[in-house]
């Protein structure tokens, strides 16, 4: 199968790292293409950046809507996820929603450990929309910015271990969901240190996309995610035609 992984921000080094993390868990025969929009913010840490990045990401998916078997939105806030599902019949998997669902299969409650504090309200909204609030023990912010993570993975690992331990010991978390796509390369290192499941949303999303494809499931067009193709030209950006 072919999966298009879209990093909604424009930082190409992060897109490359996300692609590598996705390929590391992909099954033989799965082709992973990782891209980012040509325009938009270099990182997503505010509501404004989230909305702008979502628009750029939707334009990117629209241009490939009939070319892939599944799409992955590679940002832990799942920007534009529901809108993306209206654009294509193929499954569109948000990495946050994927990681939370997988966490619920192996733990009663999970915590999200993310970047700087400005992201916390955005993730609270996302958790609520996804219907996961009862299973989310806490959302813990750190001192890390999005772009700081890949500059020093050892430092990021120390910060994430410290905050994750607090989530387990103080909040009752039984699993940790990484709250930024750039944290993906650290998942197994953190899991070994913490002794609880640590879930990278990119890996979870690819695994779930493969499962849906193998099981023959596509996005339902019976209600919320239906969209008349005649409306596509009204979006204001190029859209591939099926």
């Amino acid at each position: 199968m072919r999966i298009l992984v879209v990093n909604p921000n424009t930082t190409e080094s992060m897109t490359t790292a996300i692609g590598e993390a996705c390929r590391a868990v992909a099954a033989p025969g799965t082709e992973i293409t990782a891209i980012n929009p040509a325009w938009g913010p270099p990182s997503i840490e505010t509501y404004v950046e989230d909305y702008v990045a979502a628009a750029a990401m939707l334009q990117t998916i629209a241009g490939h809507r009939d070319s892939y078997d599944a799409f992955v939105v590679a940002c832990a806030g799942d920007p534009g996820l529901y809108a993306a599902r209206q654009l294509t019949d193929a499954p569109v998997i948000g990495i946050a929603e994927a990681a939370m669902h997988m966490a619920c299969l192996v733990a009663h409650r999970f915590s999200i450990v993310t970047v700087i504090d400005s992201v916390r309200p955005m993730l609270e909204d996302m958790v609520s929309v996804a219907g996961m609030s009862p299973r989310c023990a806490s959302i813990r912010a750190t001192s890390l910015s999005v772009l700081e993570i890949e500059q020093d993975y050892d430092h990021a690992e120390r910060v994430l271990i410290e905050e994750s331990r607090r989530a387990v010991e103080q909040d009752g978390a039984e699993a940790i969901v990484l709250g930024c796509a750039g944290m993906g390369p650290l998942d197994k290192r953190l899991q070994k240190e913490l002794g609880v499941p640590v879930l990278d949303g990119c890996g979870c999303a690819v695994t779930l996309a493969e499962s849906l494809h193998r099981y023959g499931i596509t996005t339902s067009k019976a209600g919320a995610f239906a969209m008349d193709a005649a409306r596509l030209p009204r979006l204001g950006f190029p859209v591939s035609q099926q």
Side-chain angles (χ1 to χ4, degrees):
M1 70 174 300
R2 304 180 70 226
I3 301 175
L4 183 66
V5 179
V6 183
N7 169 22
N9 74 43
T10 58
T11 299
E12 293 185 1
S13 60
M14 187 173 176
T15 304
T16 298
I18 288 170
E20 292 172 353
C22 289
R23 292 184 192 98
V25 302
T30 296
E31 177 186 329
I32 301 288
T33 301
I35 62 175
N36 53 258
W39 60 278
S43 64
I44 302 170
E45 295 166 327
T46 66
Y47 281 107
V48 172
E49 291 164 341
D50 184 73
Y51 278 73
V52 171
M57 183 270 300
L58 291 171
Q59 180 180 16
T60 303
I61 289 179
H64 299 278
R65 61 188 293 265
D66 56 352
S67 302
Y68 289 86
D69 300 304
F71 298 84
V72 169
V73 177
C75 172
D78 289 350
L81 178 61
Y82 284 7
R85 287 175 177 161
Q86 288 188 314
L87 286 176
T88 176
D89 293 342
V92 182
I93 312 295
I95 66 170
E97 192 171 58
M100 290 188 293
H101 277 290
M102 277 205 172
C104 288
L105 299 178
V106 296
H108 182 61
R109 302 186 79 201
F110 62 85
S111 284
I112 301 174
V113 179
T114 189
V115 290
I116 57 178
D117 198 60
S118 63
V119 172
R120 193 200 314 255
M122 299 159 61
L123 295 186
E124 289 174 349
D125 293 346
M126 179 274 300
V127 171
S128 178
V129 169
M132 287 289 178
S133 297
R135 303 293 292 274
C136 183
S138 62
I139 300 174
R140 284 189 167 266
T142 65
S143 60
L144 299 168
S145 68
V146 170
L147 300 182
E148 186 180 0
I149 296 168
E150 67 179 26
Q151 295 174 5
D152 189 344
Y153 279 124
D154 290 337
H155 171 66
E157 179 183 4
R158 290 191 295 270
V159 172
L160 292 171
I161 287 174
E162 181 178 341
E163 206 61 46
S164 297
R165 279 206 176 112
R166 292 193 184 103
V168 172
E169 295 171 359
Q170 300 176 20
D171 306 334
E174 300 165 10
I176 299 297
V177 169
L178 297 178
C180 177
M183 296 174 179
L186 297 171
D187 58 349
K188 298 308 178 186
R189 289 161 62 173
L190 295 176
Q191 183 169 283
K192 181 179 179 180
E193 188 70 26
L194 295 167
V196 299
V198 175
L199 296 103
D200 163 40
C202 292
C204 294
V206 167
T207 302
L208 288 176
E210 289 176 329
S211 298
L212 290 171
H213 180 69
R214 186 166 57 248
Y215 195 42
I217 300 295
T218 57
T219 298
S220 174
K221 298 298 179 177
F225 302 135
M227 184 170 180
D228 184 352
R231 300 179 69 89
L232 294 175
R234 299 171 57 179
L235 297 176
F237 48 70
V239 177
S240 63
Q241 299 296 321
Q242 294 180 316

